[in-house]
Amino acid sequence: MTIGILGGGLAGLSLGYFLKEKGYDFLILEKNPETGGLLKSVTVEGFTFDVGGSHIIFSKDKQILDFMVSLLGNNVVRNRRNTKIFYKGHYVKYPFENGLADLPKQDNFECLYYFIQNLIEKEKGRLKQPTNMRKWFYYTFGKGIAEKYLIPYNEKIWKFPLEKMSTVWVERIPQPPVEDIIKSSLGIPTEGYTHQLYFYYPKYGGIQALAEAFEKPIKDKICTSFEVKKIKNENEIWVVSNGKEELEFDRLISTIPLPELIKALEDVPKEVVEAVNGLRYNSLITVGIGLDNPKLNDFSWLYIPDRDVLTHRVSFPSNYSPYVAPPGKSSVLAEITYREGDEISRMKDKEVVERTVEDLNRVGIINSDEVILTTIYRFKYAYVIYDIEYRERLNVIEGYLRDIGIINTGRFGSWEYANMDTVVRMSTGIVDEV
Ligand SMILES: Cc1cc2nc3c(=O)[nH]c(=O)nc-3n(C[C@H](O)[C@H](O)[C@H](O)COP(=O)(O)OP(=O)(O)OC[C@H]3O[C@@H](n4cnc5c(N)ncnc54)[C@H](O)[C@@H]3O)c2cc1C
């Protein structure tokens, strides 16, 4: 049996890795000249940037975490997170609810007051279960934390009305115990989101080194620069074409984004096409900045809810590993989401870079006189948007794929907010089933 794997991002590569271990015959078809998908790192004049967005290796799933780290061998460093929210010029410890004492006093008071008031209302049964993301922020954290940070930040990253987003994603956010909120307000140190407090990162080569580690033993089973354009089933055989060449497989596993997969299939029922057309996602721009500064700061990354700053998150790769910047230099990676057709999507690359540097200089995160290099990249598929109707649509699509016998997995192949650990875990599950 020959298995065709569509897409050579982490999902495709990890599937290949595990299929090889089990002795299966397979071929990965990847449209780009290189594999890795979002795990792409680019090195320019000694600066390595993760151009698919800042990626760190962490997980609650110890088995998968240990496995990913072991694949990197000696090429790995372990860091303690030092992440902040940049709020009205203050560096507030992350997660925000664990850093209330870093806020101006009045803001700190309002966050604590509304959190407690909200808790009392909840205890008295006066609050209804939230039905969308916006309501969930108020329900879980109260008006202070919701309006000062969670709502502006989430509006900025999602570029989608929060009242039209489901609570599926936010329900993953750990809910802090009331003691922690009080301690945080008083300035007694607490930690939130603890499974990410320590994280791993490749010493050399950026996050692409992880994709390369998966790729190494299966290099001869990958066909790059092959864009899947047409898929048909002829007498139980899958025929996959890039418009020039046809390849045949007994089974197909797709990790390519669902809209791309459905577009390539023949005679897709109308309701499935409509469901796919209704799926929402965000695209991503990353701006890499090289600085002539030996130590810009000690931060891992910063969240920026401020609407006047274009980027919502900046990370500092040279703080993840000193080997991803030339000696004596620092690096910054800014992330900007957009949706096709919006104002940002229409901005020229040069404008985005200039605006990013200007904004970061204005708020004091960098000094633009120290900028020695910039890069810019765009990724069409970056974040799945969990709008209210998303689950219904996905059910229709998944039902159809099950009927025709195509397995779908990966971040956009399964249309889930899946981090690397989840993607690798999904691959182990699929390989057990094949
Ligand atoms: C900004 C950002 C930050 C992140 N940070 C983290 C983090 O810190 N830690 C973490 O664990 N995870 C993180 N993630 C998640 C991580 O990137 C994903 O879990 C992982 O990369 C998903 O891999 P994938 O193979 O499913 O998808 P992709 O990487 O999107 O791969 C899909 C592949 O399919 C190919 N393809 C598409 N269409 C076709 C076609 N028609 N024919 C052939 N090939 C095709 C693409 O070129 C691509 O290579 C982050 C994601 C983003 C966007």
Side-chain angles (χ1 to χ4, degrees):
M1 176 167 81
T2 307
I3 302 168
I5 300 175
L6 314 183
L10 182 65
L13 293 174
S14 53
L15 274 166
Y17 186 97
F18 298 128
L19 285 173
K20 181 181 163 107
E21 275 186 343
K22 294 221 165 182
Y24 283 101
D25 187 21
F26 66 91
L27 186 66
I28 298 175
L29 305 178
E30 165 56 47
K31 79 167 178 186
N32 288 331
E34 264 185 295
T35 60
L38 283 162
L39 308 194
K40 183 174 172 67
S41 309
V42 169
T43 301
V44 195
E45 293 173 30
F47 288 97
T48 302
F49 296 106
D50 294 340
V51 295
S54 161
H55 278 71
I56 56 164
I57 304 168
F58 71 98
S59 183
K60 276 185 189 159
D61 182 339
K62 190 165 178 324
Q63 200 190 4
I64 293 292
L65 178 65
D66 290 349
F67 169 66
M68 289 195 290
V69 172
S70 74
L71 274 188
L72 289 170
N74 293 328
N75 184 25
V76 71
V77 286
R78 182 173 181 258
N79 292 312
R80 188 186 160 103
R81 179 185 73 204
N82 178 20
T83 291
K84 307 280 180 191
I85 292 108
F86 188 68
Y87 176 80
K88 294 187 186 166
H90 297 259
Y91 289 100
V92 177
K93 183 178 173 171
Y94 168 84
F96 191 79
E97 58 276 17
N98 291 77
L100 300 181
D102 295 331
L103 291 169
K105 277 223 159 43
Q106 180 65 25
D107 289 313
N108 180 355
F109 161 72
E110 287 171 23
C111 289
L112 179 65
Y113 173 71
Y114 287 116
F115 182 85
I116 292 176
Q117 197 194 49
N118 200 58
L119 207 65
I120 297 169
E121 294 291 298
K122 238 188 273 180
E123 292 288 315
K124 289 187 173 168
R126 287 198 199 133
L127 293 187
K128 279 198 230 140
Q129 279 294 324
T131 47
N132 62 51
M133 194 193 266
R134 182 182 292 277
K135 287 188 176 159
W136 188 90
F137 288 143
Y138 282 103
Y139 179 86
T140 310
F141 293 97
K143 180 175 145 82
I145 296 176
E147 289 184 1
K148 287 177 202 305
Y149 171 55
L150 289 169
I151 292 177
Y153 182 75
N154 279 280
E155 281 179 345
K156 207 170 156 185
I157 185 170
W158 295 110
K159 311 269 181 327
F160 199 81
L162 302 186
E163 54 282 2
K164 291 193 178 158
M165 287 182 72
S166 115
T167 54
V168 171
W169 177 73
V170 277
E171 277 161 5
R172 300 172 11 154
I173 299 176
Q175 301 187 27
V178 64
E179 305 90 276
D180 277 15
I181 298 278
I182 296 173
K183 278 186 180 166
S184 144
S185 177
L186 292 172
I188 302 171
T190 57
E191 293 297 344
Y193 212 36
T194 47
H195 66 283
Q196 191 209 50
L197 186 58
Y198 290 91
F199 64 88
Y200 296 89
Y201 189 72
K203 202 166 170 181
Y204 299 97
I207 199 65
Q208 190 171 321
L210 181 64
E212 284 166 4
F214 275 98
E215 186 193 54
K216 205 171 160 204
I218 54 168
K219 261 192 157 68
D220 57 330
K221 295 283 175 193
I222 299 171
C223 180
T224 49
S225 302
F226 189 105
E227 181 173 357
V228 175
K229 287 192 175 156
K230 279 261 168 291
I231 304 171
K232 52 190 177 180
N233 193 299
E234 288 174 352
N235 309 321
E236 309 285 299
I237 297 288
W238 289 104
V239 182
V240 181
S241 156
N242 63 356
K244 294 181 212 123
E245 195 185 344
E246 286 190 344
L247 297 170
E248 296 189 351
F249 301 100
D250 301 296
R251 293 224 64 178
L252 276 193
I253 308 178
S254 174
T255 76
I256 66 178
L258 285 176
E260 308 297 322
L261 173 66
I262 297 295
K263 200 168 64 189
L265 285 160
E266 288 189 316
D267 304 326
V268 179
K270 195 165 152 259
E271 68 272 17
V272 177
V273 174
E274 278 170 6
V276 163
N277 290 342
L279 294 178
R280 302 282 172 254
Y281 60 90
N282 265 340
S283 306
L284 177 74
I285 301 177
T286 54
V287 176
I289 305 170
L291 294 168
D292 188 8
N293 181 327
K295 187 77 186 157
L296 180 65
N297 56 39
D298 284 327
F299 301 138
S300 309
W301 64 92
L302 296 176
Y303 295 98
I304 311 177
D306 186 342
R307 290 188 177 94
D308 295 333
V309 176
L310 191 65
T311 169
H312 59 272
R313 182 170 86 141
V314 284
S315 55
F316 303 96
S318 50
N319 291 346
Y320 293 0
S321 164
Y323 304 102
V324 297
K329 314 284 183 226
S330 299
S331 59
V332 177
L333 184 77
E335 291 167 25
I336 300 142
T337 46
Y338 65 95
R339 299 197 43 229
E340 215 43 70
D342 72 8
E343 208 183 313
I344 298 175
S345 74
R346 290 193 300 270
M347 284 172 79
K348 301 232 162 33
D349 284 358
K350 189 166 172 284
E351 264 178 272
V352 176
V353 171
E354 281 172 5
R355 172 79 197 275
T356 303
V357 170
E358 256 170 49
D359 285 352
L360 295 177
N361 177 63
R362 188 184 69 248
V363 298
I365 293 174
I366 64 167
N367 174 351
S368 54
D369 293 341
E370 294 173 354
V371 174
I372 47 178
L373 172 145
T374 56
T375 63
I376 180 162
Y377 269 82
R378 291 179 193 246
F379 275 79
K380 181 173 176 183
Y381 293 99
Y383 290 101
V384 163
I385 296 180
Y386 287 128
D387 62 333
I388 304 263
E389 287 102 29
Y390 121 95
R391 190 64 254 176
E392 250 170 74
R393 294 194 173 113
L394 204 53
N395 287 344
V396 173
I397 301 161
E398 284 176 343
Y400 169 69
L401 292 177
R402 243 191 329 270
D403 286 349
I404 62 169
I406 293 182
I407 301 176
N408 60 309
T409 184
R411 186 169 168 105
F412 292 98
S414 69
W415 213 261
E416 297 292 345
Y417 188 111
N419 274 333
M420 298 186 290
D421 56 338
T422 309
V423 165
V424 174
R425 177 53 79 195
M426 290 197 274
S427 293
T428 61
I430 288 170
V431 168
D432 285 342
E433 267 173 41
V434 186

